[in-house]
Amino acid sequence: AVHHFTYWIKQDAAFDWRTVTEASFFDDFLTSVEKFNEVIGTDDDLRDFRKAGGKMITYHGLFDQLIMPRGTYNYYNRVKDSLSDKQKYYRFFPYPNAGHCGGAGLNEGQLFSALVDWVEHGVEPEYLVAQVSATRTRKICKYPDVQMYNGIGGIDDHNSFTCQVRKKDDKALLEAAETGHAQRAWSLLRAGANPNAQNERGETALHLAAAGG
């Protein structure tokens, strides 16, 4: 962040980051967007990419210490297509407990192989398998699917789980959070509701609960 201010926004090697205030931070942020959005900004209209036959896989470690995963969820939800159409060319895999570019079974080579199989062989990636430890594997479901226990088999084996869409419970979770029904929200989470589900305004249950106090 310091280097971005010094060499990108201010373009002054002598810039002192300690002069940044809360008010100036937002002004500098807007300056950064104005200067560099065309180069490193995000485009939520991928229709030309889709028409060209493009395929894309995004991943994010949910324990990333540097780049917060919420931005990736937000971007995926902002892409201009219905979920069913979006998943024909773009899939997002959130990795629980993975940090910045690694850990908890996150394997970039596996992700690349999944992309190659999708592009060259038409194999749509429904989930990936993370080797979390020497004795534990986990399914990494495509967003917004969630992992559900089959009821049989060891909990350290990914084969004991399936990936399921939990849209009905997701809506109920958001409603419970917005209306302040904490116990109801907790029960839905334990039943498998997706904690990262968002309403039409891009708010999660946590955002709604915090706004309600």
Side-chain angles (χ1 to χ4, degrees):
V2 174
H3 287 167
H4 184 74
F5 267 88
T6 302
Y7 299 110
W8 291 64
I9 300 175
K10 302 298 183 180
Q11 298 178 353
D12 177 4
F15 173 72
D16 183 358
W17 64 269
R18 288 166 292 192
T19 61
V20 176
T21 65
E22 184 175 351
S24 69
F25 176 86
F26 288 102
D27 290 337
D28 290 335
F29 178 82
L30 294 175
T31 299
S32 179
V33 171
E34 183 179 350
K35 283 184 173 181
F36 307 114
N37 187 62
E38 289 188 4
V39 180
I40 60 174
T42 52
D43 184 358
D44 57 10
D45 186 350
L46 301 178
R47 285 174 292 190
D48 289 341
F49 175 78
R50 179 190 64 193
K51 290 176 183 176
K55 298 287 188 290
M56 179 162 60
I57 289 177
T58 299
Y59 74 90
H60 207 126
L62 299 185
F63 197 57
D64 193 318
Q65 311 93 320
L66 301 178
I67 302 174
M68 299 301 102
R70 178 58 48 208
T72 304
Y73 283 105
N74 181 267
Y75 174 72
Y76 190 83
N77 289 320
R78 282 193 295 110
V79 169
K80 295 175 180 176
D81 253 329
S82 67
L83 179 62
S84 59
D85 285 339
K86 195 181 307 183
Q87 293 197 342
K88 294 175 183 176
Y89 62 92
Y90 181 22
R91 299 200 172 184
F92 168 40
F93 293 90
Y95 276 75
N97 296 324
H100 189 67
C101 296
L106 198 164
N107 185 322
E108 291 90 344
Q110 182 190 49
L111 285 156
F112 182 70
S113 295
L115 181 61
V116 170
D117 284 343
W118 193 9
V119 172
E120 298 185 359
H121 308 294
V123 180
E124 298 179 347
E126 297 294 325
Y127 65 86
L128 301 169
V129 176
Q131 186 75 45
V132 180
S133 70
T135 58
R136 172 174 291 183
T137 55
R138 276 287 180 265
K139 277 189 171 74
I140 305 299
C141 305
K142 72 179 189 302
Y143 175 76
D145 295 2
V146 293
Q147 192 175 209
M148 297 294 295
Y149 182 53
N150 295 331
I152 56 173
I155 61 172
D156 289 330
D157 184 356
H158 71 275
N159 291 304
S160 302
F161 297 83
T162 58
C163 294
Q164 299 179 14
V165 177
R166 303 285 291 182
K167 288 184 178 179
K168 183 177 180 181
D169 284 353
D170 294 347
K171 183 178 179 182
L173 172 63
L174 292 167
E175 290 175 350
E178 189 164 21
T179 54
H181 292 88
Q183 281 299 118
R184 170 68 172 155
W186 178 238
S187 296
L188 289 164
L189 285 169
R190 285 189 296 177
N194 183 4
N196 297 306
Q198 298 181 351
N199 62 17
E200 66 278 1
R201 300 186 298 274
E203 299 165 319
T204 67
L206 181 60
H207 291 139
L208 295 170

